[in-house]
Amino acid sequence: MAQHTKIALGGGCHWCTEAVFQALIGVEKVEQGYVASTGEHNTFSEAVIVHFNADVISLNTLIEIHLHTHNSTSDHTMRAKYRSAIYTYSEEQLAEAKHLLDVFQNEFEGQLITKVYTFSEFKASREAIQNYYQKNPKKPFCERFINPKLELLLNQYSNHVNRDFIISI
């Protein structure tokens, strides 16, 4: 039986994050919007909820791709809006995500600033900006910011990419 689960991921603009994960084989749905955790991180930040089949693509692969497709080592002034985060849905998922961050740290020169939080709440983006890349592949934003991330997927994770998704490269 297929193991369907979800994880929420925040990094840069949710248009970019949405497109990256929509392009992956085993990802069944990506919800674009704003995610909050609990405590001091209870404010909303741009993120996506990734629904995936763990028999096809692992949490390990999703987190690795997430870390490599946003500025996961850059603590810039916009981090309140673009929190570098993994939002988990269970204690087991939280422990696994923390472990994976430790494992992947050696792939980066700088210190990973990505944090693992407990998922609390989600607000969907307005319909007009959902599926942004699919609706606007030739817009300058997509060509400048999303296409380089999709090219990275094709170059480094090609066995996980649904090539039919990628329109403008």
Side-chain angles (χ1 to χ4, degrees), residues 51-168:
H51 299 259
F52 64 102
N53 180 339
D55 293 335
V56 177
I57 190 164
S58 67
L59 183 61
N60 181 317
T61 299
L62 292 172
I63 289 176
E64 180 180 12
I65 288 170
H66 179 56
L67 295 173
H68 286 282
T69 55
H70 81 283
N71 291 327
S72 59
T73 60
S74 174
D75 197 11
H76 52 74
T77 59
M78 294 295 289
R79 278 295 175 212
K81 181 178 180 180
Y82 304 122
R83 192 176 294 136
S84 181
I86 301 165
Y87 299 91
T88 60
Y89 290 86
S90 68
E91 288 297 320
E92 178 184 306
Q93 200 178 53
L94 185 132
E96 184 178 359
K98 285 183 175 181
H99 170 73
L100 289 169
L101 283 180
D102 289 340
V103 168
F104 290 126
Q105 176 58 63
N106 67 14
E107 294 183 16
F108 296 87
E109 288 185 28
Q111 180 66 39
L112 287 172
I113 61 156
T114 307
K115 302 292 185 218
V116 180
Y117 301 112
T118 301
F119 175 89
S120 173
E121 200 173 344
F122 175 75
K123 288 193 306 190
S125 297
R126 65 187 191 280
E127 178 63 35
I129 63 170
Q130 291 179 20
N131 296 306
Y132 190 81
Y133 174 76
Q134 288 295 297
K135 293 175 183 174
N136 306 286
K138 297 293 186 188
K139 284 209 172 175
F141 181 90
C142 293
E143 291 180 346
R144 181 167 180 203
F145 296 105
I146 297 176
N147 283 349
K149 294 172 190 303
L150 297 176
E151 286 175 11
L152 182 142
L153 286 180
L154 288 170
N155 291 332
Q156 295 183 20
Y157 303 97
S158 61
N159 58 324
H160 295 289
V161 176
N162 174 1
R163 292 177 185 277
D164 293 336
F165 174 82
I166 299 174
I167 297 168
S168 65

